[in-house]
Amino acid sequence: MEQMNMQENARLVLGLRAAGWSEKKINDFILYIETGEDQYKPEPEKEKAE
């Protein structure tokens, strides 16, 4: 399995920031990728009523 390098990790974080993710949500997502623990698994966004 290929590992992500630091440049790829940085682009991932910057892309998630640009998409409007909070720092906590980004950190939890990275922890989920590394550990696979369900406590860090992202939840689907709730739709806003218009």
Side-chain angles (χ1 to χ4, degrees):
M1 181 192 243
E2 191 173 328
Q3 302 260 335
M4 286 179 68
N5 64 38
M6 293 302 289
Q7 185 176 36
E8 291 167 328
N9 286 324
R11 287 182 180 156
L12 172 65
V13 170
L14 292 172
L16 293 174
R17 283 180 180 170
W21 285 40
S22 70
E23 295 300 316
K24 173 151 179 28
K25 192 171 179 181
I26 291 170
N27 289 333
D28 284 350
F29 184 58
I30 292 170
L31 286 168
Y32 176 68
I33 291 170
E34 287 295 320
T35 67
E37 293 182 23
D38 284 339
Q39 67 182 355
Y40 301 118
K41 188 174 184 178
E43 298 291 327
E45 292 286 322
K46 293 186 172 76
E47 301 261 340
K48 294 181 182 178
E50 294 191 38

